[in-house]
Amino acid sequence: MSDPFKQLRDAMDQFATERDWDQFHSPKNLAMALTVEAAELQECFQWLTEAQSRELDEQQLAAVRDEIADVQLYLLRLAGKLDVDIEAACRAKMEKNAEKYPADKVKGSAKKYTHYQD
């Protein structure tokens, strides 16, 4: 399967190499940085109502875009360090989720899959 993230991953590798940051980019550190960026994404929505979270103004949307990019870039870097094919991993996880959450049993429900096991 092709890797649609290869160019971005290569660009991230070059970016880190040019700054001598590879020494800091262990899988552990990248996973920790990823959680920080995810928290910054959450911060964009903090205190908004459900309705407000769906209708962001341009400044709010720009901040969300930046944080989504930060999350994705750290994820790409981590995947590269561990030689994980993100597309293949996502497809495999979607298959697992389809088994855990059969549409005929969970449609319209937010309950955890353990509530649906036979």
Side-chain angles (χ1 to χ4, degrees), residues 25-94:
H25 289 183
S26 67
K28 176 195 74 76
N29 288 350
L30 291 167
M32 292 172 69
L34 178 60
T35 64
V36 171
E37 294 303 335
E40 290 179 8
L41 176 59
Q42 285 181 309
E43 189 176 26
C44 294
F45 296 97
Q46 189 175 15
W47 313 123
L48 298 181
T49 65
E50 291 290 324
Q52 290 169 329
S53 74
R54 289 180 173 87
E55 297 187 18
L56 303 176
D57 64 30
E58 186 49 44
Q59 183 179 3
Q60 291 169 312
L61 190 55
V64 167
R65 275 194 298 265
D66 283 348
E67 297 308 333
I68 287 172
D70 284 341
V71 167
Q72 184 61 55
L73 291 170
Y74 273 113
L75 195 56
L76 280 168
R77 187 81 169 127
L78 177 59
K81 288 290 185 177
L82 297 174
D83 198 28
V84 171
D85 179 329
I86 293 175
E87 182 181 13
C90 288
R91 290 188 185 284
K93 183 61 177 176
M94 287 173 65

